[in-house]
Amino acid sequence: MKKVVFSCFSFLLLACSSVKPPESSYTSYDVLFSREQDGGRFQFYEIITEESEYKMLLNDPIISPYLKKEDIQTCNFILVNLGEKPTGGWTIKVERVKVLKDKVEVVIKEIPPKGMATTAMTTPNFVIKIKSKKPIEIINPGS
């Protein structure tokens, strides 16, 4: 009986190992941080692919705890600045990151605050870690 159970269990493991999990279970990016201040006064995206640019992130005391020095060898980063906003509460949503044969498409959507928000001027900014070294194409459906 033990032999039969073991054989069935072994077969089940082998059968399951050849099944690929759905694409949505893979994480091809991480939003490393977001903050309402210290961003650019105008909206822009900066794709960070080179080690010399990456040092800027490593020197930032807020971002650096989420990074490893060797990340730049396997990942690219996107610095997203939403520009000057009249209130707090602005954020982004990464709607999709699609890794294609020759590039990575990143769809980013700007999300306005819901309900009441602070009336102080803010300059929201974000850093996204893309787990690929392929060229990045940013698509912003709101622009």
Side-chain angles (χ1 to χ4, degrees), residues 15-31:
C16 289
S17 67
S18 64
V19 176
K20 201 173 186 181
E23 222 175 272
S24 62
S25 69
Y26 292 108
T27 304
S28 53
Y29 74 94
D30 293 320
V31 176

Side-chain angles (χ1 to χ4, degrees), residues 25-95:
S25 69
Y26 292 108
T27 304
S28 53
Y29 74 94
D30 293 320
V31 176
L32 295 183
F33 87 97
S34 66
R35 58 184 168 198
E36 288 194 350
Q37 298 298 334
D38 303 325
R41 293 184 67 139
F42 55 93
Q43 185 178 40
F44 71 92
Y45 307 106
E46 182 179 348
I47 299 171
I48 298 169
T49 60
E50 302 297 322
E51 199 163 334
S52 58
E53 300 166 320
Y54 185 62
K55 287 180 183 176
M56 173 189 71
L57 298 179
L58 287 174
N59 290 330
D60 188 308
I62 295 172
I63 304 168
S64 61
Y66 305 104
L67 302 173
K68 295 180 199 143
K69 192 172 184 176
E70 60 274 4
D71 281 345
I72 196 63
Q73 305 303 316
T74 58
C75 302
N76 286 324
F77 297 83
I78 305 171
L79 173 61
V80 179
N81 279 281
L82 294 185
E84 196 170 75
K85 300 295 181 189
T87 66
W90 288 82
T91 191
I92 60 165
K93 177 182 179 190
V94 179
E95 290 194 327

Side-chain angles (χ1 to χ4, degrees), residues 115-143:
M116 301 273 296
T118 61
T119 55
M121 298 293 272
T122 60
T123 51
N125 59 96
F126 309 84
V127 173
I128 304 167
K129 176 181 178 179
I130 304 295
K131 298 174 185 174
S132 172
K133 287 301 284 181
K134 293 180 182 180
I136 295 173
E137 179 182 348
I138 298 173
I139 301 167
N140 184 348
S143 45

